[in-house]
Structure formats: C-alpha cells, structure tokens
Amino acid sequence: MNGFGNEFSSEDPRCPGALPDGQNNPQVCPYGLYAEQLSGSAFTCPRPTNKRSWLYRILPSVKHKPFTPVYCGNITESWNEVEPDPNQLRWLPFTIPKSLDKKVDFVSGLNTICGAGDAKSRNGIGIHMYTCNTSMTDRCFNNSDGDFLIVPQQGNLLITTEFGKMMVEPNEICVIQQGMRFTVDVYGETRGYILEVYGAHFELPDLGPIGANGLANPRDFQCPAAWYEDRTVHTGYTVINKYQGKLFSCQQDFSPFNVVAWHGNYTPYKYNLEKFMAINAVAFDHADPSIFTVLTAKSTRPGVAIADFVIFPPRWGVAENTFRPPYYHRNCMSEFMGLIKGHYEAKEEGFLPGGGSLHSMMTPHGPDAYCFEKNSMADLEPERVAEGTMAFMFESSFSMAVTKWALETCQRLDKTYYQCWEPLRSHFNPNFRPSHK
C-alpha cells in the first residue's frame, strides 16, 4: 500500500470482514480475534503527530513468559567505553561472518558503531552495522527504545512484521518503528547500516521554497498488507526485546505474526532510493547537502534534527565557475557516511561499499587531495555525477561517542585515513591581482 503516514486499513484476504465495522474494540471481534492497540505517540499528542494502529490478532502479545536478560553481543548504549576521539574516522568494509564458521542472524549480527543520548530519557541515537549469514528461526526482534531505519548494502532482506511482509533490497530502505515485532530472512552473506532514534519518529522534511513537490514524494513510500500465520511452536518462540539499551528475551508457544487485520497510521514502511527527486544548483556554487534529505527526525529546536537521513544519488552537475564536489567543512552536526554501491565523488579510493566514515562535530573534512586537484582544473561541462553510486549520510545534532567495538574489536578502522589530505599543498600567490569586471 502506497503513501507516507496515511490512515491504512488492511485485512488478510483469507478472512474477509475481519476488521470491525464502525468501531475499534467491539465486545466480540470478527472471527473471535483479539483487539490490541499499538501506540507510537502519547494519547494526547496533537492530531497531526498522533500515531497508533489497531491490530486484530489470534492471540494478544501479552501472552508470554517473563522477560529475562540475554547476552547483548556488540550492541550497546554504553557511550563511555573508550575515551572520546575527535579525529576523522574511516572504516574498511565490515567483515561478514562465514556461515561455515558460525551461523549469525540479524539480531546476533548487530554491532554498534557510535551514538549518543539515552534511551531512558527518550533523547538520542545509535548507529549500527548488521552483518549476518542466516535467517532468524522461531525468534523475532522488538525495539522498545526507538525506531530502526535500515539501509541494506549487500543481500536482500525479507522482513516479516505484525503488519505483513516486506522485501527490502539494496538501494531501498525500510523503517521499523518503535515497538513493532519483526523477523528477518536473508539469502547468504548480508550487510547493512542502521540508524536508530530515540524519542522521535522519522518524517518527511519540510520543503519550504521548493514548493509542494520534490525530494522523497509521499506516494512512493510503501507499507505491507496484512498477512497472518496461525502457528503453534511447541519448542518455544523467542521474542527478543531491546529495552534501555539491553537485550531481554521471553518465550511463547505461538508465532507473533498472527495479525489477521489492522488499521491505523503507525506502520513499518519501505522506500526505493531511485525514486528520490534530486534538486541541485543550476547556476553557481555548491548547495548544502540538506537538499538531499530523505527523512528527518526532528528535535524540539526548530530546524535542528536529532537525525537526518541524506543520500547522494546520481544527478547532473552543471554549476558554472564552481568547485563542484563537496566543499571543505567544519560542522556543528556529526556526520556518519556509508556507501551502498559505487565510488563516492569526494573520495574515490579508500571509502568503499560496506564501510563508513565519521566526521564528528567541528572536525574538519572534505575532498581528498586528488579530488581537489582534479576538480580545480576540470573543464566545467555538464556532467553526470555519482553515476552507479549511492552514498548516504546519517547526520545528527548529537556529539557521537564511538564504541570499543568500532575502534578496536572489529579491526576495520583505517588508521591511514588522515593521509588522504597530506598531499594538499599551498596555492597561495601573494602577487595575485584580481581582474576587474
């Protein structure tokens, strides 16, 4: 079903009329189902921001054994594991475990790179990588802390949710919002990025002077149609819950994907990045990367995001008398970049698909020496930029803390990164005289 934030209604075609007529929780629901509301906002939020869905299910989610703590692996919210590091950081492609060595599914393959804030106070973010090689079997995941924005880089994900199924491929994204249970099937070696936000939901950015249309259009977002399974699991079904930065699990004897029908505006959804309508400079100068924002999670300060998801898609470069690649920059925001495919224009070597970089707030960054020299002398003809490439950025107003796993354990940190700027040389000419126009 298409649309961003719409009021949807869906029922599995095997059970026509499963949605109650004219009310949310009748005394007896059709087909003997249970009514259960999933709230993504406070009851009293203003109507434009009020998020909730009603689920009509074979058994309610409350029927389970008590939660108990489980091993968290490399997922963490401990932001003081190591000393702060303001350096430019870059990671080589993160290693995907081989299935012959160890079976790793989506949850056990979660690894936290950096983050800030606190899930308990509902204000913060986390950035994770997932690297896995096997599907989840009789277990699902539920994030009580926040929303997951998932960016596949290698391998398709078949994500089964309480709302239905979604196939998410590289160059697509999906968002699983707070509290939604899901399981992930994979088809071999699989890798991708996750942006987690606490305390806010993703929304489309305001367009301002752009007008009514452009960037990511609401009609291109998709959410799943209802699908259920009525399956008893005598050996036990495991629900894994991320709660206050820790993992817990409980057991139940039935599949959680037993929702026969649902309606509401609080859903998982996906989006194909190829549908993004890019806007760019057509006269001179390099526009700020905010023009490439797909989704934003707003803070309470106007114009300041907890996190933005920004992409750098294939597009035309036509600006005149302009250094066209990204400019040198120090930013009051933190910037984590990843690469889904291709070669990023500002760093064609070293920044590779499946890797990443972090430029913390006020840490200088910009094109490497080769990119600067080449583009300073280039003939400025209209040209295609980033053809065959899709890079993205998680940008945040939080000052990121990097985990011990990212700095040490994963052994993918590129300690030579700073060297890409070492060949930059002075072009200063004190005898230069500007021409008068």
Side-chain angles (χ1 to χ4, degrees), residues 34-38 55 57-65 67 142 162 179 181 239 250-252 254-256 258-259:
Y34 287 86
E36 178 178 295
Q37 184 174 213
L38 179 62
L55 313 178
R57 56 196 319 153
I58 296 168
L59 283 170
S61 57
V62 73
K63 181 179 166 60
H64 64 80
K65 298 295 192 291
F67 281 104
N142 168 78
E162 295 169 280
R181 294 182 175 180
V239 178
C250 70
Q251 296 291 311
Q252 58 189 50
F254 61 95
S255 167
N258 61 358
V259 177

Side-chain angles (χ1 to χ4, degrees), residues 36-41 43 51-55 57 142 162-163 177-181 263 265-268:
E36 178 178 295
Q37 184 174 213
L38 179 62
S39 293
S41 66
F43 294 144
K51 295 180 178 294
R52 56 83 188 95
S53 286
W54 281 91
L55 313 178
R57 56 196 319 153
N142 168 78
E162 295 169 280
F163 296 77
Q177 302 196 76
Q178 182 189 11
M180 298 176 179
R181 294 182 175 180
H263 75 86
N265 64 353
Y266 190 54
T267 72

